[in-house]
Amino acid sequence: MKVAVCVNRVPDTETKVKIGADGKTIDKTGVNYILNPYDEFAVEEALRVKEKFGGEVIVISLGGSENVEVIRKALAMGADKGILLKDDSQRDTFSIAKALAEVLKEISPDITFFGKQSIDYDDQAMPSLVGELLGIPSITVVVKLEINEDGTVIAEREIEGGREKVRGKLPIIIGAQRGLNEPRYPSLKGIMAAKSKPVEEREAPKFENKTEVIEMLLPPPKKPGRILGTDASAVPELVRLLREEAKVI
Amino acid sequence: MLIGTKFKGVDFYNTDDLLTDDEKMVRDTIREWVDEKVIPIIEKHYMEGTFPMHLIPEMAELGIFGATLPEKYGCANLNNVAYGLIMQELERGDSGIRSFASVQSALVMYPIYEFGSEEQKNYWLPKLARGEKIGCFGLTEPDFGSNPGGLRTKAEYKNGGFVLNGTKMWITNGTIADVAVVWAKLDGVIRGFLVEKGTPGFEAPEMKGKHSLRASVTSELVFQDCWIPEENILPKAVGLKAALMCLTQARYGIAWGAVGAAMACYETALEYAKTRIQFDKPIASFQLVQEKLVYMLTEITKAQLLCIQLGRLKDQGKANYVQVSLAKRNNVYHALEIARLARDILGANGILNEYPVMRHMNNLESVKTYEGTHDIHTLIIGEYITGFSAFT
């Protein structure tokens, strides 16, 4: 089974985001970058598919040369080889999807994993977009996956208030949601082995952006809390405000 | 740092730039594991005085045990800097966790690798690496701590093997160990032996009542006419020097470990000082508190640089035991001072197990005097620089 995983390098979840001088990008100074957390589920599932069916896991990432860090992490976890699609320019979701689709078409994996979203721009569009561009099925927000010998795929995906079970067929694209698995830690031996695994570097295919970021805005500062009182006499007013103002009860 | 939140590291001098990508990945992997698996459970184990046994297979899976040894024994073949970073992160969790890994790696796997026969290496190293077997190291005796050369445990040749008699004390992992690396005098010469759990005449009762290293097993090893087969002697472990070579390995790991404990205390104190309000402002705004925090950061930064350079020297085969003594002595001393100052800054909150500082402080009291006391390391360095031994 040929398995591909597309991974992204994103600011650490605990980053305090500051907007850069151009007003359109974030200020990268002091920002720690990590493998997108949802991509960890994708890598883990890809490794499990390989462990069950044999084959290889190819890790693909589009971005600057620093994206090799997240490729190395996936290789340390057990993936076999990496492809870095080099591009330092600012791309929108569509032009990234086009580039990934072009490369995936060439590799033609049986199954391709994505995280269901990148925690940087939060579009949640990539698995579906790439699937559409390739003309193959995509199932995303997947929390359980079953691949049968005959090539049918049964995936459980999270929907509002519950789950739905979806059937598809290989080749397919899967968007991984938290809960799909428990990602392994890279072992120290894996980290050492990753150093000698191949990472191919090529120019990312160029496509035009369809949208453009005009401005980035921070959320408005939180309003300070209100103290209604310190004893039971404040309860009626609290209840009234929760009902009429906050409308939560 | 509140329990369970993610550790970002203390790196005032961009020492990360001195590390390779794979060294950083090793560090970050262990850091994440410690945040997720050690910190949430360690206070409970510390209070109850138990070692978290369930972490042993996880540490083995990560490849922590004997991490610098070759792949052919099932090890990761890391360099000494990467190994040091592992020790740093483990001790940021707890000195007891780092002690477990130190003993298994530096005091059991290292002597078997360095002084053992090929059969002993092939049999023991993969099992110890996989955590299927646990080891301990028996050198110290009730009456011989700083002066190990005087040890009284005796080995005698008998019936195609050796008979051991004597008592060891303060042995980390003793009660839970499957194999003990035991140092005893054979015809007046210190030699290393492997004694397996369950050998008749060998008992390893746990020592209770510790106020320090409570999440670590400490034991006595008692040998009473304990017969072991001839093949259990470590052929190349001859003389006190062999035992001291093991200690140099362990002390190297401790020098790094102390930095981890210090970082945990500094982070906790800094966060606390910024949010604790007294006299209508954060206590971090007071000069006396700032002075303490600055001391902490300064000493952590110096200790980090000592460790990285010592590791690089060790990787080049240029580090000597005196340099290791200097790093162990300095880093543990300052880590303990940092823990005490952190406790000060936290005031009464500092004694609660809601914060890690009192636990680290109590642990570091042991770390300061084990593997060569602070004072003995002073004399090792003193002898080296003056040419005069002040030991006797």
Side-chain angles (χ1 to χ4, degrees), chain B residues 287-340:
Chain B
Q287 292 181 357
L288 288 174
V289 173
Q290 288 189 2
E291 194 276 333
K292 290 181 178 74
L293 293 168
V294 170
Y295 164 81
M296 293 181 189
L297 179 62
T298 307
E299 292 307 331
I300 288 170
T301 304
K302 285 150 75 177
Q304 283 173 321
L305 291 165
L306 269 186
C307 281
I308 293 172
Q309 174 63 1
L310 182 61
R312 296 281 176 238
L313 288 173
K314 205 163 180 305
D315 281 330
Q316 295 160 15
K318 291 184 194 162
N320 67 34
Y321 69 96
V322 189
Q323 290 165 324
V324 174
S325 281
L326 189 145
K328 191 272 182 186
R329 177 181 181 274
N330 178 77
N331 294 8
V332 178
Y333 174 82
H334 287 292
L336 177 57
E337 287 302 307
I338 287 167
R340 288 170 176 165

Side-chain angles (χ1 to χ4, degrees), chain B residues 88-285:
Chain B
Q88 170 191 299
E89 291 306 315
L90 292 179
E91 192 143 2
R92 185 175 64 78
D94 190 85
S95 302
I97 305 294
R98 200 268 307 136
S99 294
F100 182 94
S102 271
V103 167
Q104 183 87 344
S105 302
L107 296 181
V108 179
M109 295 177 75
Y110 169 79
I112 292 173
Y113 174 71
E114 195 65 34
F115 308 120
S117 66
E118 206 48 48
E119 292 76 38
Q120 287 168 336
K121 291 190 228 185
N122 287 329
Y123 180 79
W124 285 108
L125 294 177
K127 291 181 179 65
L128 290 158
R130 289 196 298 266
E132 291 165 17
K133 298 282 182 188
I134 297 168
C136 69
F137 179 89
L139 175 66
T140 299
E141 297 186 354
D143 296 324
F144 294 90
S146 291
N147 176 23
L151 64 85
R152 287 207 191 103
T153 301
K154 247 173 84 174
E156 282 174 295
Y157 197 80
K158 202 171 179 183
N159 300 336
F162 303 97
V163 172
L164 299 180
N165 275 293
T167 305
K168 300 291 180 181
M169 207 170 178
W170 308 112
I171 310 304
T172 299
N173 296 353
T175 310
I176 55 173
D178 301 288
V179 61
V181 173
V182 179
W183 301 87
K185 279 182 182 158
L186 177 67
D187 300 326
V189 179
I190 294 177
R191 300 293 309 259
F193 301 87
L194 300 175
V195 183
E196 289 192 54
K197 186 180 200 156
T199 306
F202 170 37
E203 299 288 336
E206 187 169 354
M207 296 169 66
K208 294 286 187 187
K210 290 179 295 175
H211 281 296
S212 173
L213 290 177
R214 290 185 53 76
S216 173
V217 174
T218 310
S219 316
E220 283 181 65
L221 307 181
V222 184
F223 304 96
Q224 211 165 15
D225 293 326
C226 171
W227 184 87
I228 55 167
E230 192 171 29
E231 63 261 26
N232 284 21
I233 192 167
L234 291 169
K236 287 175 268 181
V238 183
L240 183 62
K241 188 170 181 287
L244 296 180
M245 281 169 72
C246 303
L247 295 183
T248 299
Q249 299 299 315
R251 290 163 179 173
Y252 168 76
I254 292 170
W256 281 91
V259 179
M263 282 175 171
C265 292
Y266 167 70
E267 277 281 299
T268 308
L270 179 61
E271 284 310 307
Y272 185 89
K274 289 197 290 193
T275 50
R276 169 77 175 170
I277 311 287
Q278 287 295 289
F279 305 103
D280 301 323
K281 49 186 184 175
I283 60 169
S285 62

Side-chain angles (χ1 to χ4, degrees), chain A residues 41-114:
Chain A
F41 303 115
V43 173
E44 176 62 36
E45 202 63 17
L47 295 173
R48 291 185 188 191
V49 169
K50 179 185 113 168
E51 281 156 9
K52 188 164 173 204
F53 294 98
E56 60 171 352
V57 174
I58 305 162
V59 191
I60 304 163
S61 189
L62 187 150
S65 45
E66 59 284 351
N67 276 40
V68 86
E69 290 168 20
V70 293
I71 294 177
R72 289 268 173 234
K73 174 146 189 205
L75 295 174
M77 286 170 77
D80 300 283
K81 60 185 186 190
I83 301 175
L84 172 65
L85 300 172
K86 256 199 91 184
D87 186 12
D88 290 314
S89 70
Q90 199 70 27
R91 285 190 179 229
D92 71 356
T93 306
F94 183 75
S95 80
I96 295 170
K98 284 283 273 185
L100 290 175
E102 188 170 306
V103 174
L104 286 169
K105 192 166 187 181
E106 178 203 317
I107 305 171
S108 74
D110 299 295
I111 185 162
T112 302
F113 289 95
F114 284 84

